[in-house]
Amino acid sequence: MPPAPDQSSNSGSISLSDTSDRPFELMEVIEISRSEIEVVCDMERVVCDRDGAVAILDRVPTDDGPMPTLPRDQRIVITIDGPAGTGKSSVARSLAKALGLDFLDTGAMYRAAAALAIDHGVASTDAEGVVRETTAADLHFDWTKDPPTILAFGKPIDHRIRAADVAEIVSPIATIKSLREHMVRKQRIIAQQHPRLVTEGRDQGSIVFPDAAVKFYLDASPDVRARRRAEQLMASGHCADLGAITSEILDRDKRDSSRADGPLICPKDAICVDTSDLAFDQVVKTLHRHVLAVVGR
Ligand code: DC
């Protein structure tokens, strides 16, 4: 059993010492079953009986504290949606790693469809042709790689999907209704095969996994997102025009949020996190903490 709390404490914050010497904070007092207690303990939280109630104590986050993984038999889908430039992919990947879950990049699937259209001479307006090529390519991921690489016709196409010509047409491609239906089906099959999953995109919490255990929506101001994109471009040796990048981001936001199928929205039951003023690690720790709080409940 975990250590007992300091009974002399009568404030909302209870100090305990354990082997890590990190303090605990009283989160809430709730009814909880014995089996749930075991799960909560597994997650490095502490539960103890107190006058017939149960107190959940959570470690106060510190910058260098470990982020516990979820129990290995825990099936869970966590969705992260939001516009481009909020750091979704990197955050989702880090969160998945910290929790011991798989990571799905659904943007890669739409990018793959765009790359296939270009490489097979199909116009982005030819919905039937785009779906035909995408279906024939049998898109799937190689889960032995970290992050998983996307394969078309059994071959990795990771580099191809990041090219400029693909970036140019992927947003209109992603408006094709029948393509979205195909991708939604594929993503649900992936979740059946990988039932411990952090998945990121635009419609993951709203359309694809409406019953996800935890949903996040990451946002940041267009200026911040444009600056991040410009820094990425300059780091890879490209020129960056901040004004042009900002207007491109605004255009894409408008297109992604106004399309008829799977528009970018913040699901009602999502936890919204504005990453504008947060460092990467702070975002990951914030999400991680939310997941443990929800799962512990
Ligand atoms: O996240 P990303 O930049 O790799 O996404 C590429 C494009 O695909 C972008 O225009 C948004 C779109 N997309 C989508 O419509 N639905 C998703 N679930 C994921 C991405």
Side-chain angles (χ1 to χ4, degrees):
M1 262 315 270
D6 175 1
Q7 297 290 337
S8 64
S9 171
N10 55 10
S11 73
S13 182
I14 295 179
S15 272
L16 296 170
S17 55
D18 71 343
T19 48
S20 72
D21 271 347
R22 282 183 296 121
F24 287 80
E25 177 188 356
L26 178 63
M27 299 298 287
E28 55 189 322
V29 177
I30 56 161
E31 296 283 327
I32 189 167
S33 73
R34 281 284 143 198
S35 58
E36 282 169 316
I37 289 175
E38 253 126 50
V39 172
V40 172
C41 288
D42 241 333
M43 297 189 315
E44 294 195 39
R45 299 173 100 199
V46 174
V47 180
C48 48
D49 284 312
R50 250 194 168 192
D51 303 328
V54 172
I56 291 196
L57 307 173
D58 203 2
R59 282 204 173 90
V60 176
T62 57
D63 281 347
D64 51 359
M67 291 194 284
T69 55
L70 292 181
R72 265 188 300 223
D73 58 353
Q74 173 98 49
R75 295 167 77 95
I76 186 167
V77 173
I78 297 169
T79 61
I80 304 184
D81 292 300
T86 49
K88 269 189 331 290
S89 285
S90 317
V91 167
R93 194 176 155 202
S94 264
L95 180 69
K97 190 161 265 185
L99 291 165
L101 308 180
D102 291 325
F103 156 64
L104 175 62
D105 170 3
T106 62
M109 299 170 76
Y110 288 95
R111 286 172 181 271
L116 288 162
I118 296 170
D119 297 347
H120 291 81
V122 175
S124 59
T125 47
D126 175 3
E128 218 174 276
V130 172
V131 175
R132 188 185 59 242
E133 295 304 330
T134 306
T135 308
D138 184 26
L139 294 181
H140 59 279
F141 287 88
D142 178 354
W143 296 90
T144 64
K145 301 285 189 312
D146 181 20
T149 47
I150 188 158
L151 311 174
F153 298 106
K155 296 208 173 77
I157 51 164
D158 284 79
H159 282 102
R160 178 70 190 100
I161 67 171
R162 304 287 159 200
D165 57 344
V166 170
E168 221 167 86
I169 67 155
V170 64
S171 186
I173 287 263
T175 63
I176 298 173
K177 183 178 165 61
S178 45
L179 181 70
R180 297 203 72 84
E181 287 165 354
H182 175 76
M183 296 302 195
V184 169
R185 266 196 308 276
K186 260 193 178 298
Q187 289 156 16
R188 288 181 179 153
I189 292 170
I190 290 172
Q192 277 167 9
Q193 294 163 343
H194 297 265
R196 294 161 49 79
L197 193 66
V198 176
T199 176
E200 64 96 355
R202 304 295 191 283
D203 57 350
Q204 298 300 285
S206 55
I207 303 284
V208 188
F209 302 109
D211 299 327
V214 193
K215 300 179 186 179
F216 292 107
Y217 185 87
L218 297 194
D219 209 350
S221 70
D223 286 351
V224 168
R225 291 191 281 136
R227 210 173 52 236
R228 286 176 184 163
R229 179 76 189 125
E231 282 165 6
Q232 269 173 1
L233 283 171
M234 288 189 292
S236 56
H238 294 94
C239 297
D241 173 345
L242 200 56
I245 294 173
T246 309
S247 62
E248 203 179 290
I249 279 181
L250 291 172
D251 279 355
R252 182 177 284 208
D253 283 359
K254 200 166 157 198
R255 213 169 25 229
D256 285 347
S257 347
S258 61
R259 67 177 170 229
D261 295 290
L264 170 65
I265 56 159
C266 175
K268 270 203 309 289
D269 46 353
I271 297 159
C272 295
V273 178
D274 188 327
T275 69
S276 302
D277 300 319
L278 296 178
F280 176 77
D281 284 0
Q282 288 176 302
V283 180
V284 177
K285 278 175 195 284
T286 302
L287 269 52
H288 186 271
R289 215 171 130 71
H290 276 299
V291 172
L292 291 199
V294 169
V295 172
R297 224 180 278 148

